[in-house]
């Protein structure tokens, strides 16, 4: 903050500070500005208001938005889209006394105009460079259309697929989730917030939002601090270390205090301990909702509790706007606390370059060049291919060959642009989404389409027509799963099974004797045991965005050899949830053979598909697992393994390293992911992969949240899935 800058333009052009043109530090600039601000103007900076619609919550108070912006009573707007409207609001802000520009934020979760695969699907790629690339394009398109802040990435870890928002995260694992969080932050923000191809990221939802009791949306979260520190906290921390500019507080309570007014989370952990310099925004209406939590008596009390706990900006509800002045006059909130929050927000406005040029994101020529550009669509296709997980491929029915001339395509999901976009795609150009149906036709195939089942009731429709389509085709492709609005926010479910009649339809189709390939379209892990048993091949295609159809075809015909792995365990029964690979031993470790162990009497404890699982059209062999001494003081050892492509096709493998701490001063999981490497190999080729073993691979947080590395024995496990690993022991002296 001590950088020297020349504020010639803003001093003369916008008249923000009453001093002559001179060279000032950024800090001086903000301090000077703060000195000139009235209490009302300061409070205004803390208010974020929504323009249109109640996208994710109740309507806000009916305030005259435009008028408030003109009076400097609003610091940021959300849900204003398009250069024209953003320009109009910014002009209004510049009519205020101090001409402080607005920040414009929006939920850009998997693409702005071009639609990318949903974040959970992207996570399945285990391709961090590609994840960073799509995040960069998200930001680029958003910035090209006037925005300077996106509410993402969501970095909440979840072990509960009933919670619909798992679609927006990177799955269940804190190590991998942290790497994805870093990649997304870097992609969104680049190296310089003032670059007009980047925007501010917002890490959400701080904290623990992915662990709502019983998977119920917005529900309470209760966990020990040791559990939080080891499994849920690392992704937030990694994102902050990667430089995330803002953080959103979660709707839920955490340790019996709502996150939005949680002094431990916001003031102590985030700002003091981690040194976070950006600002914290509440979730939609969540300051006012402190009253519903029965943590605040009324909205005034809510305002005091939130600001005192370190919540800088209030989204949509107007507790700060209405009561902060009174609270300061009554001494219930210190003006210094208000100043700190205002300073954090102004600093970001400055880093975005908004004081220099409030309209820097509003350039129609740039917008026309970037939105929906072929380069960005191409990235969407590459990402979509890398996101598809091959779950079953019995008798190597896939890839299809050029002998396949006719296809029975069953299921309305395969034709639905809306569903292929996935949830959270409000600004996507849906008319440009290539469905599977479109892509098959473009390939010049004979497509015998039948709905198969009704998309609303999920009951089978006209079975004879469906079977006839199958009988007259070389191959049957069946699209099953969820609709886009059945995952995402407010889409928690008690049953994540694919509807019974969709599954039975696959069994009926199988009776025709034709090869049946099932495409599971979903925004979360789903359960489909009947399909698993009956189908010849199963691909999890999630919701893949603009290039969905082309990507699925490329995988079906082997133009792209699938490489994705599951970032989240797929349960076999809903009663197994929460289910995750990194469970603990317990005093009576789970055993398939013995009773009186951690298990169920009516069902297996095994998932349908474990974390890290996914097939390829080739196979990979693992050999020569070895541990060598580390070559530098911070690397305790190096684990190496030889991986060989044993099949006939070029393929990519995601090599995974897991660690078990054999005995520790707190109970530890049976295995934890501590390294991934994605490698490509020609048929017959071998590569040696090496993983450095650092403190991060061996340590853990104790119950007081201190990080520890304890000497003793560790087991290193390496392989291509969490349930198929080779192991070797290592002793840390
Ligand atoms: C509520 C969601 O929880 C959050 O993720 C989103 O960014 C806000 N609404 C704004 O739409």
């Amino acid at each position: 903050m001590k950088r020297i800058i020349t504020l010639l333009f803003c001093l003369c052009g916008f008249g923000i500070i009453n001093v002559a043109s001179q060279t000032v530090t950024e800090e001086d600039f903000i301090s000077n500005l703060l000195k000139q601000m009235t209490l009302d103007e300061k409070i205004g900076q803390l208010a974020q208001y929504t323009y249109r619609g109640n996208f994710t919550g109740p309507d806000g108070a009916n305030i005259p938005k435009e008028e408030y912006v003109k009076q400097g009573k609003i610091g940021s707007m959300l849900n204003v889209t398009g250069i024209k409207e953003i320009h109009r609001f910014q002009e209004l802000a510049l009519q205020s006394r101090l001409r402080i520009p607005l920040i414009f934020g929006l939920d850009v979760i998997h693409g702005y105009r071009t639609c990318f695969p949903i974040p959970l699907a992207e996570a399945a790629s285990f391709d961090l460079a590609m994840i960073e690339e799509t995040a960069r394009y998200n930001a680029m398109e958003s910035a090209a259309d006037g925005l300077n802040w996106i509410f993402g990435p969501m970095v909440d870890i979840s072990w509960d697929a009933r919670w619909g928002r798992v679609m927006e995260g990177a799955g269940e694992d804190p190590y991998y989730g942290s790497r994805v969080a870093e990649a997304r932050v870097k992609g969104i923000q680049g190296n310089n917030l003032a670059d007009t191809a980047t925007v501010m990221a917002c890490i959400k939802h701080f904290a623990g939002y992915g662990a709502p009791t019983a998977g119920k949306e917005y529900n309470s979260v209760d966990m020990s601090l040791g559990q939080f520190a080891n499994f849920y906290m690392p992704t937030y921390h990694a994102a902050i270390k990667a430089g995330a500019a803002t953080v959103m507080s979660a709707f839920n309570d955490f340790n019996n205090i709502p996150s939005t007014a949680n002094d431990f989370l916001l003031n102590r952990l985030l700002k003091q301990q981690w040194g976070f310099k950006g600002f914290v925004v509440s979730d939609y209406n969540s300051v006012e909702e402190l009253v519903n939590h029965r943590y605040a008596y009324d909205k005034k009390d809510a305002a005091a509790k939130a600001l005192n706990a370190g919540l800088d900006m209030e989204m949509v509800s107007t507790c700060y706007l209405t009561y902060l002045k009174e609270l300061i006059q009554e001494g219930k909130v210190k003006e210094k606390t208000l100043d700190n929050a205002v300073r954090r927000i102004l600093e970001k406005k400055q880093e975005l370059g908004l004081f220099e040029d409030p309209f820097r994101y509003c350039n129609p020529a740039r917008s026309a060049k970037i939105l929906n550009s072929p380069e960005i669509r191409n990235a969407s296709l590459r990402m979509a291919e890398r996101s598809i997980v091959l779950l079953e491929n019995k008798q190597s029915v896939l890839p299809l060959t050029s002998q396949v001339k006719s296809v029975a395509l069953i299921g309305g999901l395969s034709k639905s642009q809306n569903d292929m976009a996935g949830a959270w795609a409000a600004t996507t150009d849906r008319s440009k989404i290539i469905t599977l149906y479109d892509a098959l036709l473009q390939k010049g195939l004979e497509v015998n389409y039948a709905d198969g089942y009704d998309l609303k009731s999920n009951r089978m429709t006209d079975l004879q027509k469906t079977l006839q389509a199958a009988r007259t085709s070389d191959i049957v492709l069946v699209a099953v799963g969820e609709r886009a609005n059945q995952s995402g926010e407010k889409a928690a479910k008690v049953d994540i099974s694919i509807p019974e009649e969709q599954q039975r339809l696959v069994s009926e189709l199988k009776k025709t004797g034709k090869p049946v390939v099932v495409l599971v379209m979903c925004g979360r892990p789903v359960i489909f045991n009947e399909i698993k048993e009956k189908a010849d091949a199963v691909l999890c295609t999630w919701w893949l965005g603009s290039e969905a159809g082309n990507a699925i075809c490329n995988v079906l015909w082997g133009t792209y050899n699938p490489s994705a792995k599951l970032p989240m365990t797929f349960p076999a029964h809903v009663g197994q949830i929460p289910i995750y690979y990194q469970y603990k031993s317990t005093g009576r470790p789970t055993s398939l053979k013995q009773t009186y162990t951690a298990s169920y009497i009516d069902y297996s404890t095994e998932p349908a598909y474990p974390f890290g699982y996914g097939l390829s059209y080739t196979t990979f062999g693992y050999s020569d697992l070895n541990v060598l001494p580390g070559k530098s003081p911070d690397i305790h050892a190096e684990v190496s393994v030889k991986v060989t492509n044993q099949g006939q096709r070029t393929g990519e493998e995601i090599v995974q390293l897991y660690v078990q701490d054999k005995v520790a001063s707190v109970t530890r999981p049976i295995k934890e992911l501590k390294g991934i490497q994605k490698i490509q190999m020609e048929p017959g080729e071998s590569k040696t992969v090496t993983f450095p073993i650092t403190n991060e691979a061996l340590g853990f947080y104790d119950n007081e949240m201190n990080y520890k590395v304890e000497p003793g024995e560790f087991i290193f496990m390496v392989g291509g899935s969490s349930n198929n690993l080779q192991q070797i022991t290592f002793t840390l002296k």
Side-chain angles (χ1 to χ4, degrees):
M1 290 316 285
K2 287 282 177 222
R3 217 157 28 98
I4 304 294
I5 51 163
T6 303
L7 294 164
L8 199 62
F9 188 54
C10 68
L11 296 172
C12 307
F14 295 96
I16 289 167
I17 307 176
N18 296 323
V19 287
S21 166
Q22 64 183 56
T23 300
V24 291
T25 63
E26 287 175 358
E27 213 168 77
D28 289 345
F29 172 73
I30 304 288
S31 301
N32 284 339
L33 187 50
L34 260 169
K35 272 187 216 142
Q36 295 183 54
M37 293 172 82
T38 63
L39 212 45
D40 286 324
E41 284 164 341
K42 288 179 187 172
I43 293 166
Q45 286 305 303
L46 272 46
Q48 184 186 51
Y49 210 73
T50 180
Y51 180 34
R52 278 207 199 90
N54 51 346
F55 291 172
T56 56
D59 280 329
N62 191 15
I63 59 169
K65 296 157 210 171
E66 276 90 347
E67 200 41 48
Y68 270 37
V69 170
K70 267 207 256 176
Q71 292 171 17
K73 284 187 173 172
I74 290 183
S76 168
M77 291 292 298
L78 77 151
N79 297 337
V80 185
T81 52
I83 287 185
K84 211 168 132 215
E85 283 294 278
I86 287 178
H87 200 283
R88 184 172 74 82
F89 266 95
Q90 200 65 295
E91 274 178 349
L92 292 174
L94 295 180
Q95 290 176 36
S96 63
R97 191 178 73 93
L98 291 173
R99 311 178 59 135
I100 301 177
L102 293 167
I103 313 182
F104 296 91
L106 190 75
D107 289 295
V108 182
I109 307 302
H110 51 108
Y112 181 77
R113 191 71 86 237
T114 308
C115 191
F116 288 99
I118 57 167
L120 186 64
E122 288 199 354
S125 72
F126 282 79
D127 191 328
L128 294 169
M130 192 72 225
I131 289 172
E132 184 175 331
E133 189 179 333
T134 61
R136 186 157 54 78
Y137 285 128
N138 279 349
M140 198 186 278
E141 277 199 332
S142 307
D145 215 26
L147 296 167
N148 34 45
W149 187 17
I150 63 182
F151 303 132
M154 182 186 108
V155 304
D156 302 315
I157 292 300
S158 187
W159 296 346
D160 196 332
R162 292 171 300 182
W163 187 56
R165 290 203 86 172
V166 297
M167 64 133 298
E168 207 181 325
E172 76 185 47
D173 182 67
Y175 169 83
Y176 178 53
S178 298
R179 302 295 81 79
V180 174
E182 290 159 359
R184 290 194 165 134
V185 170
K186 281 192 220 151
I188 292 169
Q189 296 192 167
N191 299 323
N192 176 12
L193 286 185
D195 180 340
T196 49
T198 66
V199 294
M200 293 197 293
C202 184
I203 298 311
K204 63 194 194 182
H205 305 82
F206 197 57
Y209 187 46
T213 306
K216 193 167 72 173
E217 183 66 302
Y218 312 127
N219 208 7
S220 303
V221 171
D222 196 10
M223 64 173 84
S224 69
L225 287 183
Q227 181 81 346
F228 172 63
N230 284 301
F231 303 107
Y232 293 86
M233 184 181 82
T235 49
Y236 306 113
H237 197 186
I240 298 305
K241 284 191 270 186
T246 70
V247 168
M248 188 182 292
S249 71
F251 281 125
N252 54 274
D253 64 341
F254 177 87
N255 237 349
N256 307 320
I257 314 276
S259 303
T260 295
N262 195 313
D263 177 70
F264 164 74
L265 287 178
L266 306 183
N267 276 335
R268 285 187 276 150
L269 185 62
L270 179 68
K271 292 183 178 175
Q272 284 162 26
Q273 202 170 316
W274 294 351
F276 172 64
K277 296 280 180 277
F279 67 86
V280 182
V281 63
S282 76
D283 205 338
Y284 198 105
N285 213 42
S286 73
V287 175
E288 182 174 326
E289 288 169 18
L290 294 174
V291 179
N292 288 344
H293 273 285
R294 295 203 281 116
Y295 183 70
Y297 292 104
D298 50 27
K299 293 185 200 173
K300 183 172 172 183
D301 192 29
K305 286 189 164 134
L307 191 64
N308 283 334
L311 192 284
D312 303 304
M313 184 181 273
E314 180 180 10
M315 184 189 284
V316 179
S317 57
T318 48
C319 307
Y320 283 8
L321 260 185
T322 319
Y323 299 107
L324 269 187
K325 197 169 179 183
E326 256 170 73
L327 285 163
I328 287 170
Q329 284 158 354
E330 289 165 9
K332 293 190 176 131
V333 172
K334 295 201 178 77
E335 190 162 354
K336 181 100 187 79
T337 310
L338 172 65
D339 285 356
N340 284 339
V342 178
R343 175 179 287 280
R344 283 171 182 269
I345 293 162
L346 293 178
E347 277 172 3
K348 291 300 157 208
K349 292 189 175 184
Q350 189 173 46
E351 286 170 39
L352 287 166
L354 290 172
F355 288 115
E356 277 175 56
D357 177 5
F359 302 107
R360 56 192 291 117
Y361 296 89
C362 298
N363 177 333
R366 191 168 56 227
S367 175
K369 194 165 147 228
I370 289 175
L371 297 190
N372 260 330
S373 73
E375 176 191 332
I376 301 182
R377 277 201 79 100
N378 176 271
S380 175
L381 174 65
R382 284 183 288 124
M383 186 79 247
E385 291 170 342
R386 282 158 182 73
S387 305
I388 297 172
V389 192
L390 178 62
L391 296 173
E392 302 285 344
N393 194 15
K394 298 168 193 164
Q395 279 87 48
S396 299
V397 62
L398 294 179
L400 303 176
T401 66
S402 53
Q403 315 236 295
V404 171
K405 304 275 186 241
S406 58
V407 173
L409 181 64
I410 316 297
L413 288 171
S414 69
K415 256 188 163 182
S416 164
Q417 288 181 312
N418 213 28
D419 290 300
M420 291 216 171
W424 279 124
T427 49
T428 285
D429 196 341
R430 286 167 199 267
S431 67
K432 292 201 166 64
I433 291 187
I434 308 284
T435 66
L436 178 55
Y437 179 74
D438 302 330
L440 290 169
L441 288 180
Q442 273 166 26
K443 273 181 87 70
L445 292 159
E446 177 190 324
V447 180
N448 300 312
Y449 174 80
D451 284 338
Y453 55 91
D454 179 76
L455 273 175
K456 284 207 181 93
S457 67
N458 288 307
R459 308 297 301 266
M460 280 191 228
T461 53
D462 204 347
L463 182 60
Q464 288 321 312
K465 181 183 169 201
T466 310
L467 297 178
Q468 188 55 21
R471 285 189 201 105
T472 52
S473 306
D474 296 331
I475 184 109
V476 184
L477 301 180
V478 198
V480 300
E482 310 182 293
R483 309 217 56 182
N485 62 3
Q486 289 172 338
S487 278
E489 189 175 347
K490 64 155 177 55
K493 285 179 173 175
V494 292
D495 189 358
I496 58 166
S497 303
I498 287 186
E500 205 182 312
E501 292 213 7
Q502 285 192 24
Q503 297 209 53
R504 196 141 54 76
L505 182 63
V506 173
S507 304
E508 294 296 333
L509 285 162
K510 185 65 192 149
K511 290 181 196 157
T512 63
K514 297 288 169 140
V516 176
V517 177
V518 176
L519 308 158
V520 177
M521 302 187 175
C522 54
R524 53 149 65 88
V526 283
I527 298 170
F528 47 90
N529 296 326
E530 185 172 344
I531 291 174
K532 182 176 193 262
E533 190 195 324
K534 297 284 170 53
D536 294 291
V538 180
L539 289 162
C540 175
T541 68
W542 318 99
W543 296 320
L544 295 174
S546 298
E547 290 285 337
N550 289 331
I552 296 171
C553 280
N554 288 352
V555 167
L556 286 172
W557 271 270
T559 319
Y560 183 79
N561 184 356
S563 61
K565 306 267 184 176
L566 294 177
M568 212 175 157
T569 305
F570 272 44
H573 191 289
V574 77
Q576 296 173 322
I577 297 173
I579 186 167
Y580 44 97
Y581 80 89
Q582 51 197 315
Y583 55 87
K584 295 184 178 177
S585 289
T586 78
R588 296 184 172 195
T590 302
S591 159
L592 301 179
K593 297 191 197 96
Q594 276 172 282
T595 56
Y596 294 100
T597 62
S599 57
Y600 304 105
I601 58 164
D602 59 347
Y603 208 81
S604 159
T605 52
E606 290 294 295
Y609 301 103
F611 174 87
Y613 170 86
L615 304 172
S616 160
Y617 296 147
T618 185
T619 50
F620 300 96
Y622 285 76
S623 60
D624 302 354
L625 180 59
N626 211 347
V627 193
L628 299 165
K631 293 192 189 103
S632 66
D634 48 350
I635 298 182
H636 300 293
E638 279 184 357
V639 177
S640 68
V641 70
K642 188 168 146 194
V643 187
T644 305
N645 180 348
Q646 297 170 326
Q648 307 302 315
R649 288 173 168 267
T650 303
E652 290 160 292
E653 170 70 323
I654 292 143
V655 185
Q656 303 161 39
L657 166 78
Y658 295 82
V659 177
Q660 182 191 99
D661 187 348
K662 278 193 83 174
V663 178
S665 55
V666 297
T667 56
R668 302 292 297 129
I670 56 152
K671 60 183 89 146
E672 291 178 289
L673 185 72
K674 292 295 177 184
I676 49 157
Q677 285 187 40
K678 188 168 186 172
I679 50 169
Q680 191 183 58
M681 281 179 290
E682 301 302 317
E685 188 183 350
S686 295
K687 276 188 181 163
T688 297
V689 174
T690 305
F691 293 99
I693 303 298
T694 58
N695 277 349
E696 201 195 344
L698 304 181
F700 60 86
Y701 288 93
D702 67 13
N703 290 341
E704 279 72 50
M705 295 179 68
N706 302 308
Y707 197 73
K708 284 189 169 167
V709 180
E710 295 179 341
E713 262 188 39
F714 293 84
I715 300 175
F716 299 144
M717 293 161 262
V718 180
S721 168
S722 67
N723 72 341
N724 187 8
L725 301 164
Q726 304 191 2
Q727 66 178 61
I728 193 163
T729 304
F730 166 76
T731 305
L732 181 72
K733 300 251 166 54

